[in-house]
Coordinates of all heavy atoms in Angstrom, one line a residue:
G1 N 48.4 301.8 209.2 CA 48.6 303.2 209.3 C 47.4 303.9 208.6 O 46.3 303.6 208.9
R2 N 47.7 304.6 207.6 CA 46.7 305.2 206.8 C 45.8 304.3 206.0 O 44.7 304.5 205.7 CB 47.2 306.3 205.8 CG 47.8 307.4 206.5 CD 48.3 308.5 205.6 NE 48.9 309.6 206.3 CZ 49.6 310.5 205.8 NH1 49.9 310.5 204.5 NH2 50.1 311.5 206.5
Q3 N 46.3 303.1 205.8 CA 45.6 302.0 205.1 C 44.3 301.6 205.8 O 43.3 301.3 205.3 CB 46.4 300.8 204.8 CG 47.4 300.9 203.7 CD 48.2 299.6 203.6 OE1 49.1 299.4 204.5 NE2 48.0 298.8 202.6
K4 N 44.5 301.6 207.1 CA 43.4 301.1 208.0 C 42.8 299.8 207.6 O 41.6 299.5 207.8 CB 42.3 302.2 208.1 CG 42.8 303.6 208.5 CD 41.8 304.2 209.4 CE 42.2 305.6 209.9 NZ 43.4 306.2 209.5
G5 N 43.6 298.9 207.2 CA 43.1 297.5 206.8 C 42.3 297.5 205.5 O 42.2 298.5 204.8
H6 N 41.7 296.4 205.3 CA 40.8 296.2 204.1 C 39.9 295.1 204.3 O 40.0 294.4 205.3 CB 41.7 296.0 202.9 CG 42.5 294.7 202.9 ND1 43.7 294.6 203.6 CD2 42.2 293.5 202.4 CE1 44.1 293.4 203.5 NE2 43.3 292.7 202.8
T7 N 38.9 294.9 203.5 CA 37.9 293.8 203.6 C 38.3 292.7 202.6 O 38.8 293.0 201.5 CB 36.5 294.3 203.3 OG1 36.4 294.9 202.0 CG2 36.1 295.3 204.3
E8 N 38.1 291.5 203.0 CA 38.3 290.4 202.1 C 37.1 289.5 202.1 O 36.3 289.5 203.0 CB 39.5 289.6 202.6 CG 40.9 290.3 202.4 CD 42.0 289.4 202.7 OE1 41.9 288.2 203.0 OE2 43.2 289.9 202.6
L9 N 37.0 288.7 201.1 CA 35.9 287.7 200.9 C 36.4 286.3 201.1 O 37.4 285.9 200.4 CB 35.3 287.9 199.5 CG 33.9 287.4 199.3 CD1 32.9 288.2 200.2 CD2 33.4 287.6 197.9
Y10 N 35.8 285.5 202.0 CA 36.3 284.2 202.2 C 35.0 283.3 202.3 O 34.2 283.4 203.1 CB 37.1 284.0 203.5 CG 37.5 282.6 203.8 CD1 38.5 282.0 203.0 CD2 36.9 281.9 204.8 CE1 38.9 280.8 203.3 CE2 37.3 280.6 205.1 CZ 38.3 280.0 204.3 OH 38.8 278.7 204.6
R11 N 34.9 282.4 201.3 CA 33.7 281.5 201.3 C 32.4 282.2 201.3 O 31.5 281.8 202.0 CB 33.8 280.4 202.3 CG 35.0 279.5 202.2 CD 34.9 278.3 203.1 NE 36.0 277.4 202.8 CZ 36.2 276.3 203.4 NH1 35.4 275.9 204.4 NH2 37.2 275.5 203.1
G12 N 32.4 283.3 200.6 CA 31.1 284.1 200.5 C 30.9 285.1 201.7 O 30.0 285.8 201.6
A13 N 31.7 285.0 202.7 CA 31.5 285.9 203.8 C 32.6 287.0 203.8 O 33.8 286.7 203.5 CB 31.7 285.2 205.1
E14 N 32.2 288.2 204.0 CA 33.1 289.3 203.9 C 33.6 289.6 205.4 O 32.8 289.6 206.3 CB 32.4 290.6 203.4 CG 33.3 291.7 203.1 CD 32.6 292.9 202.5 OE1 32.4 292.8 201.2 OE2 32.2 293.8 203.2
Y15 N 34.9 289.8 205.5 CA 35.4 290.2 206.8 C 36.5 291.2 206.7 O 37.1 291.4 205.6 CB 35.9 288.9 207.6 CG 37.1 288.3 206.9 CD1 38.4 288.5 207.4 CD2 36.9 287.4 205.8 CE1 39.5 287.9 206.8 CE2 38.0 286.8 205.2 CZ 39.3 287.0 205.7 OH 40.4 286.4 205.1
V16 N 36.7 291.9 207.8 CA 37.7 293.1 207.8 C 39.0 292.6 208.3 O 39.1 291.9 209.3 CB 37.2 294.2 208.7 CG1 38.2 295.3 208.7 CG2 35.8 294.7 208.1
V17 N 40.1 292.9 207.6 CA 41.4 292.6 208.0 C 42.0 293.9 208.5 O 42.3 294.8 207.8 CB 42.3 292.1 206.8 CG1 43.7 291.8 207.3 CG2 41.7 290.8 206.3
D18 N 42.0 294.1 209.9 CA 42.4 295.3 210.5 C 43.9 295.5 210.4 O 44.4 296.6 210.2 CB 42.0 295.4 212.0 CG 40.5 295.5 212.1 OD1 39.9 296.2 211.2 OD2 39.9 295.0 213.1
F19 N 44.7 294.4 210.7 CA 46.1 294.5 210.8 C 46.7 293.8 209.5 O 46.4 292.7 209.3 CB 46.6 293.8 212.0 CG 46.2 294.6 213.3 CD1 45.1 294.1 214.0 CD2 46.9 295.7 213.7 CE1 44.7 294.8 215.1 CE2 46.5 296.4 214.8 CZ 45.4 296.0 215.6
L20 N 47.5 294.6 208.8 CA 48.1 294.0 207.6 C 49.5 293.5 207.9 O 50.2 294.0 208.7 CB 48.2 295.2 206.5 CG 46.9 295.8 206.2 CD1 47.1 297.0 205.4 CD2 46.0 294.8 205.4
P21 N 49.9 292.4 207.2 CA 51.2 291.8 207.4 C 52.3 292.7 206.9 O 52.2 293.3 205.8 CB 51.2 290.5 206.6 CG 50.1 290.7 205.6 CD 49.1 291.7 206.2
K22 N 53.3 292.9 207.8 CA 54.5 293.7 207.4 C 55.7 293.0 207.9 O 55.6 292.0 208.6 CB 54.4 295.1 208.1 CG 53.2 295.9 207.7 CD 53.3 296.5 206.3 CE 52.1 297.4 206.1 NZ 52.1 297.9 204.7
V23 N 56.9 293.5 207.6 CA 58.2 293.0 208.1 C 58.9 294.1 208.7 O 59.0 295.2 208.1 CB 59.0 292.3 206.9 CG1 60.3 291.9 207.4 CG2 58.2 291.2 206.3
K24 N 59.5 293.9 209.9 CA 60.3 294.9 210.5 C 61.8 294.5 210.4 O 62.1 293.4 210.8 CB 59.9 295.1 212.0 CG 60.8 296.2 212.6 CD 60.2 296.7 214.0 CE 60.3 295.7 215.0 NZ 60.0 296.2 216.4
V25 N 62.5 295.4 209.8 CA 64.0 295.1 209.6 C 64.7 296.1 210.6 O 64.5 297.3 210.6 CB 64.4 295.4 208.2 CG1 65.9 295.3 208.0 CG2 63.7 294.6 207.2
E26 N 65.6 295.5 211.4 CA 66.3 296.3 212.4 C 67.8 296.2 212.1 O 68.3 295.1 211.9 CB 66.0 295.8 213.8 CG 64.6 296.0 214.2 CD 64.3 295.4 215.6 OE1 64.5 296.1 216.6 OE2 63.9 294.2 215.6
V27 N 68.5 297.3 212.1 CA 69.9 297.3 211.8 C 70.6 298.4 212.6 O 70.0 299.5 212.8 CB 70.2 297.4 210.3 CG1 69.7 298.7 209.8 CG2 71.7 297.3 210.0
V28 N 71.7 298.1 213.2 CA 72.5 299.1 213.9 C 73.7 299.5 213.0 O 74.5 298.6 212.6 CB 72.9 298.6 215.3 CG1 73.8 299.7 216.0 CG2 71.7 298.4 216.1

């Protein structure tokens, strides 16, 4: 959403994480 992902460092290389892990809870 407004976070728009973030950058991470892995083995010296920087990469962008566009989609962040979330959990969707559905209840009726």
Side-chain angles (χ1 to χ4, degrees):
R2 291 184 180 166
Q3 281 178 289
K4 303 224 181 357
H6 63 278
T7 59
E8 288 189 6
L9 203 61
Y10 179 72
R11 294 190 177 181
E14 190 174 280
Y15 65 99
V16 176
V17 178
D18 290 327
F19 294 98
L20 301 170
K22 302 286 183 182
V23 174
K24 181 165 73 169
V25 177
E26 298 173 86
V27 61
V28 176

